[in-house]
Amino acid sequence: MINIVLRDCIPLADNDFIYDSWIKSYSNSGFSRGIPTSLYVVGQRSRIDKILGSPPTKVTIATNPEEPSVIYGYSVITGENILHYLYVKNAFRKLGIGTQLINRLFGSQVLYTHKSADIWAERILKEDPTFNEWMYDPYVLEI
């Protein structure tokens, strides 16, 4: 496990990284396969705008304790149980950062709106045995 500091998002400092990493990393998901790049980027940016603009959405940033501007990853959670996105830079994966970013959700019935990889689900299941009760709902934003 790596030593990190969790802090709230500072939109002016963090949003470029959040948008860029979310759009690029999710472009490799099964969801986006077959969507022309230009259409995907515009549509995904619009979804992210809607998510980040919906209270009470909270973006939590995992940073280097010595240099808070160095971002390792982030989570985007609305309310008590809607996980929109979890991202950790490749170089810092499998170090417990993702777990620390979402561990407050463990033991809850969670809705998640972005499904990126089955390996992600396997890792969470190791940390939270109730993960099988988590529900993928990409349409929760439409309600």
Side-chain angles (χ1 to χ4, degrees), residues 68-92:
S69 64
V70 176
I71 298 173
Y72 296 144
Y74 59 88
S75 63
V76 181
I77 299 170
T78 297
E80 297 298 317
N81 70 333
I82 300 173
L83 173 62
H84 296 289
Y85 211 66
L86 173 65
Y87 175 81
V88 177
K89 289 179 178 176
N90 284 332
F92 301 102

mmCIF file of all heavy atoms in Angstrom, residues 68-92:
data_model
loop_
_atom_site.group_PDB
_atom_site.id
_atom_site.type_symbol
_atom_site.label_atom_id
_atom_site.label_comp_id
_atom_site.label_asym_id
_atom_site.label_seq_id
_atom_site.Cartn_x
_atom_site.Cartn_y
_atom_site.Cartn_z
ATOM 1 N N PRO A 68 0.915 17.691 -3.386
ATOM 2 C CA PRO A 68 -0.520 17.492 -3.643
ATOM 3 C C PRO A 68 -0.971 17.723 -5.079
ATOM 4 O O PRO A 68 -2.044 17.296 -5.457
ATOM 5 C CB PRO A 68 -1.187 18.493 -2.701
ATOM 6 C CG PRO A 68 -0.166 18.811 -1.679
ATOM 7 C CD PRO A 68 1.174 18.642 -2.333
ATOM 8 N N SER A 69 -0.144 18.355 -5.899
ATOM 9 C CA SER A 69 -0.527 18.556 -7.302
ATOM 10 C C SER A 69 -0.264 17.308 -8.141
ATOM 11 O O SER A 69 -0.728 17.223 -9.281
ATOM 12 C CB SER A 69 0.212 19.750 -7.895
ATOM 13 O OG SER A 69 1.603 19.499 -7.919
ATOM 14 N N VAL A 70 0.454 16.327 -7.596
ATOM 15 C CA VAL A 70 0.713 15.073 -8.305
ATOM 16 C C VAL A 70 -0.448 14.125 -8.010
ATOM 17 O O VAL A 70 -0.604 13.638 -6.897
ATOM 18 C CB VAL A 70 2.055 14.441 -7.887
ATOM 19 C CG1 VAL A 70 2.240 13.089 -8.568
ATOM 20 C CG2 VAL A 70 3.201 15.387 -8.216
ATOM 21 N N ILE A 71 -1.271 13.896 -9.030
ATOM 22 C CA ILE A 71 -2.486 13.092 -8.877
ATOM 23 C C ILE A 71 -2.197 11.642 -9.238
ATOM 24 O O ILE A 71 -1.638 11.346 -10.291
ATOM 25 C CB ILE A 71 -3.613 13.646 -9.779
ATOM 26 C CG1 ILE A 71 -3.979 15.075 -9.369
ATOM 27 C CG2 ILE A 71 -4.834 12.730 -9.736
ATOM 28 C CD1 ILE A 71 -4.957 15.753 -10.310
ATOM 29 N N TYR A 72 -2.589 10.732 -8.323
ATOM 30 C CA TYR A 72 -2.491 9.293 -8.586
ATOM 31 C C TYR A 72 -3.789 8.750 -9.176
ATOM 32 O O TYR A 72 -3.776 7.808 -9.946
ATOM 33 C CB TYR A 72 -2.208 8.522 -7.300
ATOM 34 C CG TYR A 72 -0.886 8.810 -6.638
ATOM 35 C CD1 TYR A 72 -0.786 8.827 -5.256
ATOM 36 C CD2 TYR A 72 0.272 9.046 -7.369
ATOM 37 C CE1 TYR A 72 0.421 9.065 -4.620
ATOM 38 C CE2 TYR A 72 1.489 9.294 -6.747
ATOM 39 C CZ TYR A 72 1.557 9.294 -5.371
ATOM 40 O OH TYR A 72 2.753 9.527 -4.743
ATOM 41 N N GLY A 73 -4.918 9.324 -8.766
ATOM 42 C CA GLY A 73 -6.210 8.848 -9.240
ATOM 43 C C GLY A 73 -7.338 9.637 -8.613
ATOM 44 O O GLY A 73 -7.102 10.583 -7.852
ATOM 45 N N TYR A 74 -8.575 9.217 -8.909
ATOM 46 C CA TYR A 74 -9.747 9.914 -8.371
ATOM 47 C C TYR A 74 -10.967 9.011 -8.426
ATOM 48 O O TYR A 74 -11.004 8.027 -9.170
ATOM 49 C CB TYR A 74 -10.019 11.221 -9.139
ATOM 50 C CG TYR A 74 -10.258 11.019 -10.617
ATOM 51 C CD1 TYR A 74 -11.546 10.766 -11.102
ATOM 52 C CD2 TYR A 74 -9.209 11.057 -11.532
ATOM 53 C CE1 TYR A 74 -11.767 10.574 -12.455
ATOM 54 C CE2 TYR A 74 -9.424 10.858 -12.882
ATOM 55 C CZ TYR A 74 -10.714 10.614 -13.334
ATOM 56 O OH TYR A 74 -10.935 10.407 -14.671
ATOM 57 N N SER A 75 -11.959 9.384 -7.635
ATOM 58 C CA SER A 75 -13.273 8.735 -7.699
ATOM 59 C C SER A 75 -14.316 9.825 -7.851
ATOM 60 O O SER A 75 -14.130 10.955 -7.397
ATOM 61 C CB SER A 75 -13.556 7.910 -6.436
ATOM 62 O OG SER A 75 -13.604 8.740 -5.299
ATOM 63 N N VAL A 76 -15.423 9.454 -8.513
ATOM 64 C CA VAL A 76 -16.544 10.374 -8.704
ATOM 65 C C VAL A 76 -17.777 9.664 -8.170
ATOM 66 O O VAL A 76 -18.203 8.642 -8.719
ATOM 67 C CB VAL A 76 -16.733 10.752 -10.193
ATOM 68 C CG1 VAL A 76 -17.889 11.736 -10.350
ATOM 69 C CG2 VAL A 76 -15.438 11.330 -10.768
ATOM 70 N N ILE A 77 -18.320 10.185 -7.081
ATOM 71 C CA ILE A 77 -19.430 9.541 -6.374
ATOM 72 C C ILE A 77 -20.528 10.567 -6.134
ATOM 73 O O ILE A 77 -20.251 11.683 -5.693
ATOM 74 C CB ILE A 77 -18.957 8.947 -5.027
ATOM 75 C CG1 ILE A 77 -17.877 7.886 -5.269
ATOM 76 C CG2 ILE A 77 -20.133 8.378 -4.224
ATOM 77 C CD1 ILE A 77 -17.177 7.401 -4.008
ATOM 78 N N THR A 78 -21.768 10.172 -6.423
ATOM 79 C CA THR A 78 -22.918 11.024 -6.130
ATOM 80 C C THR A 78 -23.654 10.448 -4.939
ATOM 81 O O THR A 78 -23.975 9.256 -4.914
ATOM 82 C CB THR A 78 -23.877 11.120 -7.335
ATOM 83 O OG1 THR A 78 -23.184 11.729 -8.422
ATOM 84 C CG2 THR A 78 -25.105 11.966 -7.000
ATOM 85 N N GLY A 79 -23.921 11.311 -3.967
ATOM 86 C CA GLY A 79 -24.650 10.888 -2.773
ATOM 87 C C GLY A 79 -23.908 9.811 -2.016
ATOM 88 O O GLY A 79 -22.683 9.820 -1.929
ATOM 89 N N GLU A 80 -24.675 8.888 -1.470
ATOM 90 C CA GLU A 80 -24.101 7.838 -0.638
ATOM 91 C C GLU A 80 -23.716 6.586 -1.413
ATOM 92 O O GLU A 80 -22.963 5.763 -0.906
ATOM 93 C CB GLU A 80 -25.098 7.449 0.467
ATOM 94 C CG GLU A 80 -25.409 8.587 1.421
ATOM 95 C CD GLU A 80 -24.174 9.069 2.167
ATOM 96 O OE1 GLU A 80 -23.371 8.230 2.620
ATOM 97 O OE2 GLU A 80 -24.009 10.305 2.273
ATOM 98 N N ASN A 81 -24.277 6.411 -2.637
ATOM 99 C CA ASN A 81 -24.069 5.097 -3.232
ATOM 100 C C ASN A 81 -24.017 5.042 -4.760
ATOM 101 O O ASN A 81 -24.179 3.986 -5.336
ATOM 102 C CB ASN A 81 -25.169 4.149 -2.761
ATOM 103 C CG ASN A 81 -26.517 4.507 -3.348
ATOM 104 O OD1 ASN A 81 -26.779 5.651 -3.678
ATOM 105 N ND2 ASN A 81 -27.371 3.514 -3.494
ATOM 106 N N ILE A 82 -23.787 6.153 -5.437
ATOM 107 C CA ILE A 82 -23.694 6.099 -6.900
ATOM 108 C C ILE A 82 -22.245 6.386 -7.308
ATOM 109 O O ILE A 82 -21.759 7.506 -7.189
ATOM 110 C CB ILE A 82 -24.652 7.094 -7.584
ATOM 111 C CG1 ILE A 82 -26.096 6.791 -7.193
ATOM 112 C CG2 ILE A 82 -24.482 7.026 -9.098
ATOM 113 C CD1 ILE A 82 -27.102 7.811 -7.683
ATOM 114 N N LEU A 83 -21.582 5.335 -7.758
ATOM 115 C CA LEU A 83 -20.203 5.448 -8.223
ATOM 116 C C LEU A 83 -20.216 5.652 -9.740
ATOM 117 O O LEU A 83 -20.683 4.793 -10.476
ATOM 118 C CB LEU A 83 -19.414 4.180 -7.879
ATOM 119 C CG LEU A 83 -17.994 4.086 -8.440
ATOM 120 C CD1 LEU A 83 -17.110 5.207 -7.888
ATOM 121 C CD2 LEU A 83 -17.396 2.716 -8.140
ATOM 122 N N HIS A 84 -19.708 6.792 -10.167
ATOM 123 C CA HIS A 84 -19.666 7.081 -11.594
ATOM 124 C C HIS A 84 -18.345 6.636 -12.211
ATOM 125 O O HIS A 84 -18.337 6.052 -13.293
ATOM 126 C CB HIS A 84 -19.867 8.573 -11.869
ATOM 127 C CG HIS A 84 -21.213 9.060 -11.460
ATOM 128 N ND1 HIS A 84 -22.362 8.713 -12.139
ATOM 129 C CD2 HIS A 84 -21.600 9.842 -10.431
ATOM 130 C CE1 HIS A 84 -23.404 9.277 -11.547
ATOM 131 N NE2 HIS A 84 -22.958 9.961 -10.515
ATOM 132 N N TYR A 85 -17.256 6.926 -11.534
ATOM 133 C CA TYR A 85 -15.972 6.557 -12.133
ATOM 134 C C TYR A 85 -14.902 6.442 -11.067
ATOM 135 O O TYR A 85 -14.906 7.184 -10.078
ATOM 136 C CB TYR A 85 -15.551 7.591 -13.186
ATOM 137 C CG TYR A 85 -14.742 6.973 -14.297
ATOM 138 C CD1 TYR A 85 -15.313 6.051 -15.169
ATOM 139 C CD2 TYR A 85 -13.400 7.291 -14.480
ATOM 140 C CE1 TYR A 85 -14.577 5.468 -16.188
ATOM 141 C CE2 TYR A 85 -12.663 6.722 -15.503
ATOM 142 C CZ TYR A 85 -13.247 5.811 -16.349
ATOM 143 O OH TYR A 85 -12.516 5.229 -17.361
ATOM 144 N N LEU A 86 -14.012 5.513 -11.315
ATOM 145 C CA LEU A 86 -12.825 5.313 -10.483
ATOM 146 C C LEU A 86 -11.658 5.210 -11.446
ATOM 147 O O LEU A 86 -11.683 4.392 -12.373
ATOM 148 C CB LEU A 86 -12.959 4.026 -9.668
ATOM 149 C CG LEU A 86 -11.722 3.599 -8.876
ATOM 150 C CD1 LEU A 86 -11.402 4.625 -7.795
ATOM 151 C CD2 LEU A 86 -11.942 2.226 -8.262
ATOM 152 N N TYR A 87 -10.662 6.043 -11.235
ATOM 153 C CA TYR A 87 -9.498 6.043 -12.120
ATOM 154 C C TYR A 87 -8.231 6.106 -11.281
ATOM 155 O O TYR A 87 -8.126 6.911 -10.352
ATOM 156 C CB TYR A 87 -9.534 7.255 -13.068
ATOM 157 C CG TYR A 87 -8.296 7.348 -13.918
ATOM 158 C CD1 TYR A 87 -8.164 6.572 -15.065
ATOM 159 C CD2 TYR A 87 -7.244 8.187 -13.567
ATOM 160 C CE1 TYR A 87 -7.020 6.642 -15.841
ATOM 161 C CE2 TYR A 87 -6.095 8.261 -14.337
ATOM 162 C CZ TYR A 87 -5.986 7.479 -15.469
ATOM 163 O OH TYR A 87 -4.843 7.546 -16.228
ATOM 164 N N VAL A 88 -7.276 5.249 -11.637
ATOM 165 C CA VAL A 88 -5.936 5.292 -11.039
ATOM 166 C C VAL A 88 -4.944 5.162 -12.189
ATOM 167 O O VAL A 88 -5.103 4.310 -13.075
ATOM 168 C CB VAL A 88 -5.728 4.146 -10.015
ATOM 169 C CG1 VAL A 88 -4.309 4.182 -9.460
ATOM 170 C CG2 VAL A 88 -6.735 4.244 -8.874
ATOM 171 N N LYS A 89 -3.931 6.016 -12.185
ATOM 172 C CA LYS A 89 -2.911 5.963 -13.228
ATOM 173 C C LYS A 89 -2.280 4.576 -13.256
ATOM 174 O O LYS A 89 -2.065 3.949 -12.212
ATOM 175 C CB LYS A 89 -1.814 7.005 -12.966
ATOM 176 C CG LYS A 89 -2.241 8.426 -13.194
ATOM 177 C CD LYS A 89 -1.074 9.366 -12.881
ATOM 178 C CE LYS A 89 -1.420 10.810 -13.127
ATOM 179 N NZ LYS A 89 -0.312 11.709 -12.720
ATOM 180 N N ASN A 90 -1.939 4.112 -14.462
ATOM 181 C CA ASN A 90 -1.380 2.772 -14.631
ATOM 182 C C ASN A 90 -0.216 2.481 -13.689
ATOM 183 O O ASN A 90 -0.142 1.409 -13.099
ATOM 184 C CB ASN A 90 -0.912 2.550 -16.077
ATOM 185 C CG ASN A 90 -2.054 2.307 -17.025
ATOM 186 O OD1 ASN A 90 -3.104 1.806 -16.638
ATOM 187 N ND2 ASN A 90 -1.863 2.668 -18.282
ATOM 188 N N ALA A 91 0.691 3.408 -13.541
ATOM 189 C CA ALA A 91 1.889 3.191 -12.727
ATOM 190 C C ALA A 91 1.577 2.981 -11.244
ATOM 191 O O ALA A 91 2.415 2.468 -10.497
ATOM 192 C CB ALA A 91 2.847 4.369 -12.882
ATOM 193 N N PHE A 92 0.371 3.359 -10.816
ATOM 194 C CA PHE A 92 0.026 3.286 -9.394
ATOM 195 C C PHE A 92 -1.095 2.296 -9.107
ATOM 196 O O PHE A 92 -1.657 2.285 -8.007
ATOM 197 C CB PHE A 92 -0.349 4.683 -8.885
ATOM 198 C CG PHE A 92 0.769 5.667 -9.055
ATOM 199 C CD1 PHE A 92 0.745 6.594 -10.094
ATOM 200 C CD2 PHE A 92 1.866 5.636 -8.222
ATOM 201 C CE1 PHE A 92 1.780 7.483 -10.273
ATOM 202 C CE2 PHE A 92 2.919 6.523 -8.393
ATOM 203 C CZ PHE A 92 2.878 7.451 -9.416
#
